[in-house]
Amino acid sequence: MLRRGDRGPEVVELQQRLRMVWLYQGDTDGRYSRRVEEAVRHYQWSRGIHEELGVYGPQTRSRLESETGTP
């Protein structure tokens, strides 16, 4: 699970995947910022995912990975 305040290569991958679905236009700097949180929340809402909004959990990750393939 990733959430605001987290940092690292997994966040970079998330940022890249969110770019692929046109929901994130910020830097791929490995910081789970408010912009990343908002992009995740929008993705979850638009796909009908019922996890904690703005948190990159297993259901959100599985769906985004299946949609984007390899970043």
Side-chain angles (χ1 to χ4, degrees), residues 35-59:
R35 289 180 76 183
V36 174
E37 182 182 59
E38 289 172 1
V40 169
R41 183 180 299 121
H42 183 80
Y43 180 81
Q44 291 166 320
W45 180 84
S46 67
R47 288 356 183 237
I49 297 171
H50 302 289
E51 280 187 321
E52 184 179 348
L53 289 178
V55 174
Y56 191 52
Q59 187 180 7

Side-chain angles (χ1 to χ4, degrees), residues 1-4 10-11 13-14 17-18 32 36 40 43-44 51-65 68:
M1 252 202 233
L2 297 172
R3 61 187 62 216
R4 190 166 13 143
E10 286 186 322
V11 179
E13 181 181 327
L14 170 59
R17 290 183 187 280
L18 290 169
Y32 202 118
V36 174
V40 169
Y43 180 81
Q44 291 166 320
E51 280 187 321
E52 184 179 348
L53 289 178
V55 174
Y56 191 52
Q59 187 180 7
T60 306
R61 175 180 230 133
S62 175
R63 179 77 182 267
L64 184 58
E65 286 180 353
T68 57

